[in-house]
Amino acid sequence: MSNSELYFDVEDHRWPIIYSPGYNITCLGLEKLHPFDSAKWGRIFEFLRESGMVDESTIVAPREPTQEQLLKVHTKRYLDSLKISDILNYGEIPEWSFKVASITEVPVAAFCPNFIVNRRVLRPLRLQMGGTVLGGKLAMEQKWAINLGGGFHHCSSDNGGGL
């Protein structure tokens, strides 16, 4: 991914601390059914900001990976299982989000339309993945970097499980 848009040069005044408000997962209150705090990334940023350690001008916002970039690390079958149908491309009614409900360990999420789950759950995870890739680049260049998000160690090329 060295020629990826996920890698980009960072202005000198910015620290190699990566965060986006888009990291926070909110999905019609369903996030409260999971034992972990799905807005912890924003809370960490607010703590650092209130402590005077960072502000919006000193952090780096990641980019969301494209489908092509995701296919470098995940199988098409796995990615297709997350989105099932695409209302914009096929004009279909989106199917329910059974796979995402299994991965997130929130069974009731299976009954949410996939387009909502994609926007409110999967997009934050993709953004955090973009932050992890950028963090690796910045760590190599600057000898350190912190991505306030990420850490989804239960994911593999053809499966995901548990957050």
Side-chain angles (χ1 to χ4, degrees), residues 103-162:
I103 291 167
T104 60
E105 300 173 345
V106 179
V108 73
F111 301 106
C112 287
N114 193 260
F115 75 94
I116 292 173
V117 171
N118 182 51
R119 188 173 308 138
R120 300 302 207 119
V121 177
L122 297 177
R123 183 171 188 272
L125 299 178
R126 289 190 302 265
L127 270 173
Q128 291 183 48
M129 180 264 194
T132 298
V133 171
L134 179 58
K137 175 207 185 264
L138 294 177
M140 295 296 291
E141 292 176 354
Q142 299 185 29
K143 308 301 181 217
W144 73 280
I146 299 170
N147 179 23
L148 296 185
F152 304 107
H153 58 275
H154 296 290
C155 198
S156 66
S157 65
D158 199 43
N159 198 15

Side-chain angles (χ1 to χ4, degrees), residues 14-160:
R14 295 191 184 270
W15 293 57
I17 299 174
I18 303 132
Y19 171 71
S20 166
Y23 279 10
N24 300 300
I25 299 171
T26 59
C27 190
L28 309 170
L30 294 177
E31 67 278 4
K32 294 176 181 162
L33 298 175
H34 194 279
F36 94 27
D37 179 359
S38 64
K40 65 183 174 184
W41 307 283
R43 292 187 219 299
I44 294 168
F45 175 76
E46 284 305 312
F47 173 81
L48 294 172
R49 190 183 61 74
E50 289 171 4
S51 299
M53 300 173 77
V54 299
D55 63 41
E56 288 80 2
S57 71
T58 60
I59 62 164
V60 181
R63 295 179 181 153
E64 183 178 356
T66 64
Q67 179 82 356
E68 179 181 327
Q69 291 163 335
L70 290 171
L71 284 167
K72 292 183 185 291
V73 294
H74 294 293
T75 64
K76 182 175 182 334
R77 181 179 71 155
Y78 175 62
L79 294 177
D80 286 348
S81 77
L82 298 175
K83 64 182 176 182
I84 304 181
S85 64
D86 185 331
I87 195 167
L88 297 176
N89 291 334
Y90 304 109
E92 298 175 5
I93 297 172
E95 295 183 31
W96 305 109
S97 303
F98 294 108
K99 182 72 168 187
V100 176
S102 171
I103 291 167
T104 60
E105 300 173 345
V106 179
V108 73
F111 301 106
C112 287
N114 193 260
F115 75 94
I116 292 173
V117 171
N118 182 51
R119 188 173 308 138
R120 300 302 207 119
V121 177
L122 297 177
R123 183 171 188 272
L125 299 178
R126 289 190 302 265
L127 270 173
Q128 291 183 48
M129 180 264 194
T132 298
V133 171
L134 179 58
K137 175 207 185 264
L138 294 177
M140 295 296 291
E141 292 176 354
Q142 299 185 29
K143 308 301 181 217
W144 73 280
I146 299 170
N147 179 23
L148 296 185
F152 304 107
H153 58 275
H154 296 290
C155 198
S156 66
S157 65
D158 199 43
N159 198 15

